[in-house]
Amino acid sequence: MFKVIRDGGIRCKTSKYLKIIKNNRSLATKSEVASSADVVVIGGGIAGCNTLYQLTKRGVNAILLERSKITSGTTWHTAGLVWSLRPCDLEVRLLRDSRNVYNNLANEVEDYSGWINNGGMFISRSKIRTQEYMRLHTLGNAMGIASEVLDPYDAQKKVPILDPSVFQMALYVSEDGTIDPAMACSALLKVATRNGAKVYEDRPVIDIHYTHNLLGNKEVTAVHTDKGIIKTKCVINCGGAWGPRVARFAGVPSLPLVPFKHAYVVCDAIPEIRGCPNIRDHDVNLYLKMQGETCSIGGYEGNPHMLDQVPDNLQFHLYELDWDVFGVHMTSATTLCPKLGKIGIKSTVCGPESFTPDHKPLLGEDPNIFGLYHNCGYNSAGMMFSAGCGIQMAEWVISGRPQYNMFTFDIRRFTPGQLSRAHWCRESSHEAYVRNYGIVFPHDERLAGRDASHDALHQELVDDGAVMQARAGWERPGFFMPGEKIRVQQYDWGGTHDYPRNVDQRYEEVLKGDYTFGFSEHHDLIGKEALSCRNAAALFNLSYYGKFYLTGPDAQRTANLAFTADLSKDYERVVYSLLLNEKGGVEADVTVSILDGGSGQLHEPIFKGRGYYVVTSGFNANHTLAHLRRIIQTHKLRATITDVSKQLCILSVQGPDSQRILQRYTGAGLSNDAFPVNTHRSIQFHKAPFSVDNKVYTCRALRVGWSGELGWELHIPSSHAIQIYKALKTAKGLQNAGWRALTSLSAEKGYHLWNADLRTDDNPIEANLGFTCRENGEYIGNEHVAKARSNGVSKKYAYFTLDDKVAIYGQEAVFRNGEPVGHLRRGDYAYYLDKPIGIAYITNKGLEVTGKYLTDGNYEIEVMGTKYRANLHLKSPFDPTGQRILGNYGEQGMDENIYEPHAGQNERSGGSE
């Protein structure tokens, strides 16, 4: 099928590349290493060069240290493909920024010619892949990325060697292209050195010095090289595959990054491909890079070679290609392009590349040491993303936070529990590599890296039919299949690497029900759970939530800086609040219970002065914790944050019958007078009447919920959680429900979901959350809130319903009067309204977005190429006055106040429990 010509192999490619690098040696600083710098960048690959370039454009005194030669790590052998469309808006923005950087280099460096704008084409061999591409096409429409849907014969006109009988359609983007890594790095460094940067080659880092400050936190103080010490308070780890080693210099024990052998081959000349676009054939894990008359063939195998680590002395290194592993790509390539089976292979490229557990880069400040930033782990996409990420890294370092919502790239998205498990990192990174070109379904779940963290109720829930999801390492119930016991199995590596496939594959079979862009096979099951909450009562396990106590002499000062809400209220109040960054973006939304000293139990700790019990979403818990600690560190406050996430479980009873059900288990009054909305207290919880063991437990009850219904959260010491759960299971009319139902309920009510319709690049005024921000507060970001209040905003939160029964999941384009004005941040199905629902931020070409502008337009939402009429609402049409939260269910004949009063309901008038 193909022949291998050895005389054009590895040594030839390396020699040619070294000649290019040799011509740029003048960029390296010849003098002795500088004694200090504002920022020290470690690593001279494409990530380091882009970061240095952006820092010096902003006037930062920066140094780049390279242990060997510029690009000698993994950058030099990269294929250099740059695409435009990805399945999320952040990545589309970063790719657009990268292309702009590479294009503009031609205006800054005379002899730069590294960017080749030859376009890109995605090939679809299946109906479901075509649907995914149509989602990319509609998102591109919303974000100004033009793409063209082609039938196979039109695609063949752009790439003559394609066999049109093999595939169903293609998606073509003219803005895509290829970047030459040597030329790009050379140009970036030329500009950086002109701006004052110093670049040192052959300067390996020996250590990163740090000290403990008065608060006990670690801070970077210097970088130790073999030629001297550089004093600095900021280090950026751009070490690529060597990133974990750089992190260990700073005392960070583990960085979630695993090196793999990644390969491609370069074919002999094919004259007819000159000027043709690059190709991705995702269905067979294949890519083709067109450069001149040569075609490079590469892809992602199901049985890749993983490396324990890459030796320090490796430079411009390639491995021998394993044809037993790589051969599958040649078969796929010759199927798509038969001519490739008739030409020779003039060189092979197999080098180390770094991959991460979720296939996203590692960026941002390390939560363990202030001043250490990471910018590595690009999953063989460093040329694509590092220019855009370099802009965000420079903003991150200079102003404290990036411009974009970078949470999915932020190193703080991983928890200590995940990072402490080496097997979690390796198996998750393996699955990320293998599934690199897999279809990104809205409700897909991973098989690797599971069971990193359990709450005390995990086994009970599985026994009761819970189908688990994984978020931030925690297992939480997605939905329930009563009568089934579907356990997540250990990762079997897909049957590769001598691992046998799991005998029990029921969990995998259940997941296949969500392998769709239409309604899930579990749609009706999830609907029953959601409607049980709306019409009776549902029990949700929220134990994976992050739970912290903020105490200490400066706890109140910390709270005033960190939280936007007014926390000067009474001790029993629960307050919904935001945490903002210095740019006014929302870093987290939390509930804060105001406390005084308790009895010494987990849910009632003993402390002096005013304290706060902070609850945040579980996948954001580590991020929230790091943000609070950064505030304490920056302002040198005497405050302590105690993480009790594992020590406390949360069971939430929500729905019209919740008061009636809970009242059977407690003597505490639960009426609006006795236990108002947004209050908390410690209550006694006993088992159902007439039970054999009527042991009494105590827990903290919060009258809050995320469903829009009457309800309470019970915050229970983990040692008592099973007993309370079993007691609640005996309640008539109370049904287990999972997170799929809960997120649907929250969207139906119009509540925000952080990192979806509420992000770090959203101002509270834009998000309709101005009511959470006190007007005269000194909280961080308040000036941006005040400015948005007075000047108006250029984007605004809006809520949409569709009359057509079509599945929407987010990232769909929104049109106003035929013009794109945004995209859905979040899409779901409102089971009570019986309509699809979506939430978006509507724009007006940079002008102010007013209520009149929003309501005057006619809206459509584009779903996989088809536009559907949409109804705009400024707030959810579901219970807009919030009567159900108060227990006022007049239309159901279930008004909260008609219940016979319990003795405890008079406690505010002197009654006793």
Side-chain angles (χ1 to χ4, degrees), residues 304-519:
H305 288 293
M306 302 177 70
L307 302 167
D308 290 328
Q309 60 182 10
V310 184
D312 275 342
N313 60 358
L314 222 58
Q315 54 178 301
F316 299 111
H317 179 80
L318 293 176
Y319 303 101
E320 285 288 339
L321 186 66
D322 185 342
W323 285 100
D324 290 336
V325 172
F326 188 84
V328 63
H329 301 313
M330 297 306 301
T331 301
S332 299
T334 54
T335 301
L336 181 65
C337 304
K339 185 160 187 176
L340 294 178
K342 302 174 183 177
I343 63 170
I345 305 297
K346 69 178 181 182
S347 63
T348 65
V349 180
C350 181
E353 290 280 4
S354 55
F355 287 80
T356 62
D358 58 0
H359 207 72
K360 306 292 184 187
L362 309 176
L363 269 66
E365 189 172 33
D366 195 285
N368 300 293
I369 177 168
F370 294 110
L372 174 65
Y373 291 79
H374 300 292
N375 185 8
C376 53
Y378 276 95
N379 302 278
S380 196
M383 298 304 298
M384 284 201 293
F385 283 119
S386 62
C389 288
I391 297 171
Q392 300 307 314
M393 282 303 305
E395 290 293 324
W396 217 321
V397 169
I398 294 169
S399 63
R401 295 301 293 153
Q403 294 171 327
Y404 295 165
N405 171 50
M406 298 294 289
F407 175 74
T408 53
F409 287 19
D410 194 328
I411 184 66
R412 296 181 297 182
R413 69 189 184 270
F414 297 119
T415 67
Q418 291 173 303
L419 298 178
S420 65
R421 293 168 169 83
H423 72 280
W424 164 81
C425 183
R426 288 185 67 80
E427 66 181 42
S428 297
S429 298
H430 172 269
E431 186 180 32
Y433 182 102
V434 170
R435 299 179 65 170
N436 184 19
Y437 279 5
I439 296 174
V440 181
F441 291 108
H443 289 295
D444 195 10
E445 296 292 328
R446 297 297 183 181
L447 299 174
R450 300 297 294 266
D451 293 337
S453 295
H454 289 165
D455 60 67
L457 296 168
H458 176 80
Q459 191 57 53
E460 294 292 325
L461 294 168
V462 170
D463 289 345
D464 289 338
V467 177
M468 290 292 176
Q469 300 175 331
R471 297 293 183 273
W474 285 84
E475 297 291 322
R476 69 180 195 182
F479 56 92
F480 285 80
M481 300 182 74
E484 301 285 347
K485 293 184 181 180
I486 302 171
R487 291 178 172 81
V488 178
Q489 303 297 305
Q490 286 189 339
Y491 186 54
D492 62 12
W493 300 77
T496 65
H497 299 286
D498 298 324
Y499 284 88
R501 286 284 280 134
N502 286 325
V503 175
D504 183 354
Q505 297 182 15
R506 287 180 299 162
Y507 183 73
E508 294 181 48
E509 291 300 316
V510 171
L511 293 186
K512 290 177 182 177
D514 285 316
Y515 290 178
T516 177
F517 294 109
F519 290 116

Side-chain angles (χ1 to χ4, degrees), residues 611-689:
Y612 306 90
Y613 176 49
V614 182
V615 181
T616 186
S617 58
F619 69 87
N620 185 34
N622 200 46
H623 178 92
T624 305
L625 191 59
H627 185 73
L628 285 169
R629 285 173 173 161
R630 162 56 80 176
I631 293 171
I632 293 171
Q633 159 78 10
T634 301
H635 296 273
K636 297 179 171 54
L637 300 170
R638 297 171 299 159
T640 301
I641 304 173
T642 305
D643 185 355
V644 292
S645 299
K646 275 190 171 291
Q647 285 74 40
L648 291 173
C649 288
I650 304 176
L651 286 172
S652 180
V653 182
Q654 302 283 317
D657 291 345
S658 59
Q659 179 187 340
R660 174 186 60 78
I661 289 170
L662 282 175
Q663 196 68 82
R664 299 178 66 226
Y665 299 92
T666 181
L670 299 179
S671 70
N672 284 336
D673 290 335
F675 205 141
V677 174
N678 296 326
T679 61
H680 70 89
R681 65 196 55 188
S682 181
I683 67 170
Q684 291 187 330
F685 187 101
H686 55 77
K687 290 194 174 183

Side-chain angles (χ1 to χ4, degrees), residues 112 176 242 508 589 743 757 781 833 892 894 907:
Y112 171 71
D176 295 348
W242 292 266
E508 294 181 48
D589 64 334
T743 52
D757 47 47
L833 297 175
Q892 295 178 235
M894 299 174 64
E907 59 186 333

Side-chain angles (χ1 to χ4, degrees), residues 801-813:
T801 59
L802 278 68
D803 294 328
D804 296 283
K805 297 293 195 300
V806 57
I808 52 177
Y809 294 106
Q811 308 296 326
E812 293 87 359

Side-chain angles (χ1 to χ4, degrees), residues 593-615:
S593 299
I594 305 168
L595 308 175
D596 57 1
S599 62
Q601 301 181 68
L602 273 170
H603 64 288
E604 287 187 320
I606 296 174
F607 55 88
K608 292 183 179 179
R610 178 167 284 221
Y612 306 90
Y613 176 49
V614 182
V615 181

